[in-house]
Amino acid sequence: MTNPNNVSLNIHHELSFIDGHALNIPTLKILSETGDVYPGATVPNISQDTALRLYRTMRFIRMLDERMQAAQRQGRISFYMQCLGEEAAVTASAAALDDDDMIMAQYREQAALHYRGFRLDQFMNQMFSNELDLGKGRQMPIHYGSNELNYMTISSPLGTQIPQASGHAYGQKLKHIDEKTGELASEIDNVTICYFGEGAASEGDFHAGLNMAAVLKAPVIFFARNNGYAISTPADEQFAGDGIASRGVGYGIKTIRVDGADALAVFAATQAARDICVKTGEPVLIESIAYRLGAHSTSDDPSGYRSKEEEADHQLNCPIARFKKWLVAQNWLDEAQDDAEKETIREQILEAVKVAEKVEKPALESLISDVYDTPIPELSEQYEHLKAHILAHPDAYPTTAGRIK
Amino acid sequence: MAQMNMLQAINSALDISMSEHPNACIFGEDVGHFGGVFRATSGLQERYGRHRVFNTPLTEQGILGFANGLAAFGAPTIAEIQFADYIFPAFDQIVNETAKFRYRSGNEFNVGKLTIRTPYGGGIAGGLYHSQSPEAYFAHTPGIKIVVPRNPHQAKGLLRACIEDDNPVLFFEPKRLYRASIGEVPEGDYRIEIGTAEIVKEGKDVTLLAWGAQMEIIEQAAGLAEKEGISCEIIDLRSILPWDRDTLVSSVNKTGRLVISHEAPITNGFGAEIAATIQQHCFLHLESPILRVCGMDTPYPLALEKEYVPDALKVFAAIKQSVTF
């Protein structure tokens, strides 16, 4: 490795600057828009089971997103964020990991969580903030988390998970380091993947997190979902230079750019990235180029900042349809059966909404639990005060008054 | 028992913690081979390896972000911010992430294994960016604990308790006392319970309350007052969040008077919280208004530091004002 502070190396006597746009990182593409493998491209090693699990996850998430978007419009939930257009980027990357690898997501990665086994009722319990929600009804819809499935609970502030992923991955590596030499003594069992949008890559945490991982050598896969928009701000108003990938190179991190609508390219890149992390203990950056077909969230209206024509162009490039064509060509997917499954899922989602919205909200105790491992005295006192107040005015607090123990 | 200064006591606490937990890590700017700018981590890298005691790039938000992740993984994590003045780039990671990790996830995940050490306070001719006492900013945030030791014995016992506590803790070290304060410290392990105040000296006319380096000041002020026949009860709060209200309430109920002193600016300082609470609980026992002797609402100065600081004479003046009200 060269040390740029060693001025005796690589001396040059002609005044010249390296252009800020000098890097022009290529994009890995394996499947064409028509679902054919490009000549010269290598199909990654993916089993039929994995490929179908991947496909079914993408299909499920699209159906869930459509239904929950509608549920938000009907006023049944307060907020929603779709994965529309990025299903392959999120699902195929998750599929290339070990189920025990930690996922530290931003907020639009519900497909990765479902791939891990998060059930329909669990999604609903979170979105309806009921007492069965693992997060105890404390966060807005889509802030999922599951310890059992190694999916770190989502946090709203943008980019905060990026340096955390570096630290978490470092922890995964620790036991594989030889005490005497300080070097990696064996392959690492599990790594961390960190998802973030290209918008989050402008936050200080991004720069801090990448630099920490690069210098301290943490086995983390940084997965930048470059979907073209940070809420309403298009990519060309967000950064100069060659996307997010060039920043990875700048931090001394092995980097690859992939077509995020191409499930096979994302799978291949993530599989290879994981292999690097496991063997070297060092980070990798993947920049996935996709297009956020939907709104940023249900609080956003893309018609204010992009044209119908632009959206229509991208609608032709559906990551799910592209992968499906390939599966059919492999004789791994029966289309008639697929259609029947879709109908079943649609009914299950409708039913799950009805069930979840009838479940009671979390008990009053959850106001003060988990602030600390045990409530501090002030908080217990405030809680007793609140309880007495509610019991004195039960009609004003109808959903909790009758449930106070 | 051995004679130790505060840095040696802190080093001893860290040493015990590192030897007890094979995956515990200490990191921050310059804490590795160099041992930190104040040398609190001297010798630890040599003992526990570069992978467990290491320098980080110069990024406070990176240090705390990394620390949150490592603690969430489950490794005892001790992060150093070189000066408390530079904790603000990490503010978001502490108040939005560290403090809320457990709550927001329903305890699916938590960072209870995190301890953040940072030197705070004035008295070293550090000017406005090497003298701040930012505890009140953090005391407004549920989910973290805040501890401030006043001498080597406390520093070791409290730091051990912080590292073993199952909640994230901010440990503010009074850097003016790092070498100045020397005392008897057990060489083995011991812990001082977080959330308890210490009655340093009993008295009957007025209660004096402070923490950290300011304890020395109120003790000096008490000395001046005693010469005039005023008996002072001296209390060291030790822990800002949670804080020991009961000990203070019973003291003020006894003396009827309270003078609070801290280095941080007076407005919205933690003294304001204490004054409000004591007023509520001791109203009928108070003989005079609760007084605060604190930093002014100006950035910490350099050349006029002596005038600025809440020194013993200012505290003494407040004691007299309190008892003659």
Side-chain angles (χ1 to χ4, degrees):
Chain A
M1 201 182 296
T2 57
N3 177 1
N5 296 90
N6 183 346
V7 292
S8 67
L9 289 171
N10 198 11
I11 295 294
H12 190 70
H13 301 293
E14 187 185 319
L15 192 153
S16 67
F17 293 91
I18 297 170
D19 193 85
H21 297 263
L23 277 180
N24 187 1
I25 296 169
T27 304
L28 175 71
K29 217 170 157 92
I30 293 174
L31 275 184
S32 74
E33 277 75 356
T34 54
D36 303 310
V37 173
Y38 281 102
T42 306
V43 174
N45 185 12
I46 184 167
S47 70
Q48 181 176 349
D49 282 353
T50 302
L52 287 176
R53 181 175 162 194
L54 198 172
Y55 169 74
R56 288 186 178 125
T57 299
M58 293 199 284
R59 185 192 61 190
F60 171 84
I61 284 298
R62 181 156 294 194
M63 295 170 75
L64 179 72
D65 281 356
E66 280 170 9
R67 183 59 223 142
M68 298 322 293
Q69 177 89 1
Q72 193 278 335
R73 295 294 184 238
Q74 293 163 352
R76 296 167 97 164
I77 56 172
S78 58
F79 180 79
Y80 196 74
M81 291 179 119
Q82 302 180 89
C83 186
L84 199 65
E86 297 183 80
E87 293 93 342
V90 175
T91 321
S93 50
L97 302 174
D98 186 293
D99 278 353
D100 289 332
D101 291 342
M102 180 58 78
I103 294 176
M104 297 180 74
Q106 179 164 302
Y107 47 54
R108 205 186 293 288
E109 294 86 355
Q110 53 266 44
L113 183 57
H114 184 61
Y115 187 87
R116 284 281 169 90
F118 206 64
R119 301 185 311 266
L120 178 56
D121 62 308
Q122 293 178 304
F123 278 106
M124 291 300 167
N125 292 335
Q126 198 285 328
M127 282 185 274
F128 285 92
S129 329
N130 65 32
E131 66 177 353
L132 300 175
D133 168 27
L134 292 177
K136 302 182 188 170
R138 289 166 181 160
Q139 294 210 73
M140 287 167 73
I142 67 93
H143 288 64
Y144 310 110
S146 166
N147 189 307
E148 186 193 349
L149 299 175
N150 299 301
Y151 192 92
M152 191 79 77
T153 302
I154 305 296
S155 171
S156 300
L158 208 54
T160 52
Q161 78 281 12
I162 302 171
Q164 290 171 12
S166 306
H168 189 274
Y170 190 85
Q172 290 168 314
K173 179 183 173 178
L174 265 181
K175 66 173 175 179
H176 301 279
I177 298 177
D178 184 287
E179 290 281 325
K180 296 212 169 56
T181 63
E183 301 296 320
L184 205 56
S186 63
E187 287 199 351
I188 297 165
D189 302 331
N190 286 111
V191 302
T192 300
I193 189 166
C194 178
Y195 293 97
F196 52 92
E198 90 286 353
S202 294
E203 294 282 2
D205 275 325
F206 166 82
H207 302 281
L210 262 68
N211 198 35
M212 293 285 280
V215 173
L216 300 171
K217 297 188 171 53
V220 51
I221 301 169
F222 294 112
F223 195 97
R225 294 184 292 96
N226 187 340
N227 63 22
Y229 287 92
I231 308 186
S232 68
T233 303
D236 62 4
E237 292 176 36
Q238 293 185 58
F239 49 78
D242 191 30
I244 307 307
S246 63
R247 284 133 176 80
V249 177
Y251 283 112
I253 294 176
K254 250 193 190 80
T255 297
I256 189 170
R257 175 176 285 152
V258 296
D259 177 350
D262 174 352
L264 287 184
V266 173
F267 186 85
T270 312
Q271 212 175 35
R274 185 179 193 277
D275 203 44
I276 293 166
C277 289
V278 160
K279 290 199 168 85
T280 68
E282 295 190 25
V284 177
L285 172 70
I286 299 173
E287 181 181 24
S288 141
I289 308 292
Y291 184 82
R292 193 195 73 208
L293 260 175
H296 163 69
S297 73
T298 45
S299 308
D300 171 46
D301 175 13
S303 71
Y305 54 86
R306 67 188 187 195
S307 67
K308 287 277 167 229
E309 290 72 33
E310 179 185 316
E311 289 179 17
D313 280 353
H314 286 281
Q315 253 143 14
L316 297 173
N317 180 21
C318 172
I320 305 176
R322 201 196 295 190
F323 191 56
K324 181 178 172 180
K325 284 176 195 155
W326 182 76
L327 287 174
V328 171
Q330 305 303 300
N331 284 321
W332 284 359
L333 185 73
D334 178 326
E335 288 194 82
Q337 192 195 339
D338 186 44
D339 289 342
E341 279 175 18
K342 275 202 246 181
E343 199 41 53
T344 311
I345 292 168
R346 189 162 289 123
E347 286 161 17
Q348 286 170 342
I349 293 174
L350 288 170
E351 182 56 29
V353 168
K354 286 185 201 152
V355 171
E357 59 189 358
K358 289 199 189 87
V359 178
E360 290 208 81
K361 68 179 192 175
L364 193 67
E365 285 85 0
S366 77
L367 258 183
I368 63 159
S369 57
D370 304 325
V371 180
Y372 295 92
D373 59 340
T374 51
I376 61 171
E378 287 89 338
L379 199 45
S380 300
E381 191 179 296
Q382 290 160 22
Y383 180 64
E384 291 305 319
H385 188 75
L386 173 65
K387 261 196 332 198
H389 175 77
I390 291 176
L391 290 173
H393 308 277
D395 296 345
Y397 309 93
T399 58
T400 49
R403 300 171 65 208
I404 289 176
K405 289 180 197 120
Chain B
M1 294 281 236
Q3 286 281 317
M4 291 188 197
N5 67 26
M6 191 179 282
L7 285 166
Q8 291 163 329
I10 289 165
N11 189 275
S12 172
L14 295 173
D15 193 4
I16 292 170
S17 303
M18 292 297 279
S19 66
E20 261 188 15
H21 304 286
N23 61 343
C25 289
I26 294 175
F27 51 89
E29 293 153 15
D30 306 304
V31 305
H33 176 67
F34 185 61
V37 290
F38 293 102
R39 324 290 293 172
T41 51
S42 283
L44 296 176
Q45 188 179 69
E46 288 71 13
R47 236 162 291 157
Y48 300 103
R50 299 172 63 92
H51 60 298
R52 289 181 58 203
V53 182
F54 50 88
N55 294 334
T56 66
L58 223 154
T59 164
E60 288 78 12
Q61 74 184 121
I63 293 168
L64 256 303
F66 189 93
N68 279 328
L70 186 57
F73 172 76
T77 301
I78 302 153
E80 178 179 303
I81 297 296
Q82 201 162 75
F83 285 88
D85 308 71
Y86 302 114
I87 206 165
F88 296 106
F91 199 65
D92 180 52
Q93 281 289 347
I94 299 172
V95 304
N96 270 328
E97 300 291 316
T98 306
K100 297 175 175 72
F101 230 101
R102 189 193 304 266
Y103 182 80
R104 73 163 178 239
S105 71
N107 203 24
E108 289 287 297
F109 300 94
N110 71 73
V111 293
K113 294 197 181 303
L114 173 60
T115 303
I116 306 164
R117 293 179 42 243
T118 188
Y120 85 95
I124 59 148
L128 58 170
Y129 290 122
H130 295 83
S131 306
Q132 293 176 69
S133 302
E135 70 273 4
Y137 292 97
F138 298 98
H140 195 57
T141 304
I144 45 180
K145 294 187 177 183
I146 303 171
V147 173
V148 193
R150 80 165 190 284
N151 60 28
H153 183 267
Q154 275 192 5
K156 181 172 173 181
L158 285 170
L159 181 54
R160 280 289 296 141
C162 292
I163 294 167
E164 298 304 320
D165 195 280
D166 198 22
N167 296 282
V169 189
L170 263 166
F171 191 72
F172 286 106
E173 299 168 1
K175 59 180 171 287
R176 180 165 65 79
L177 304 184
Y178 266 157
R179 292 177 198 284
S181 179
I182 297 167
E184 292 280 310
V185 176
E187 282 162 290
D189 191 21
Y190 65 96
R191 296 175 204 169
I192 297 172
E193 192 188 345
I194 298 173
T196 61
E198 182 188 353
I199 300 170
V200 175
K201 187 184 147 309
E202 296 204 11
K204 58 181 177 48
D205 297 330
V206 58
T207 301
L208 307 183
L209 178 77
W211 51 85
Q214 200 60 18
M215 285 305 297
E216 203 178 41
I217 303 298
I218 65 168
E219 288 181 278
Q220 288 167 15
L224 297 173
E226 304 277 342
K227 283 186 193 149
E228 300 202 359
I230 304 166
S231 163
C232 301
E233 179 138 308
I234 302 175
I235 297 182
D236 177 1
L237 198 59
R238 295 201 293 208
S239 170
I240 305 278
L241 189 66
W243 67 282
D244 185 353
R245 189 183 73 197
D246 294 347
T247 295
L248 193 59
V249 165
S250 57
S251 173
V252 175
N253 280 344
K254 180 178 76 174
T255 64
R257 296 181 172 87
L258 175 62
V259 175
I260 306 162
S261 186
H262 58 64
E263 282 185 37
I266 188 163
T267 299
N268 268 339
F270 199 67
E273 173 62 33
I274 295 167
T277 305
I278 294 303
Q279 183 269 145
Q280 185 189 343
H281 289 273
C282 305
F283 188 68
L284 294 177
H285 293 85
L286 284 172
E287 303 284 343
S288 66
I290 297 166
L291 296 178
R292 289 177 289 157
V293 186
C294 305
M296 293 166 69
D297 292 341
T298 168
Y300 205 107
L302 184 67
L304 295 178
E305 182 170 336
K306 183 175 163 32
E307 288 72 15
Y308 168 87
V309 295
D311 64 9
L313 197 55
K314 290 178 185 172
V315 178
F316 174 53
I319 294 169
K320 284 211 289 196
Q321 192 187 337
S322 178
V323 296
T324 58
F325 178 76

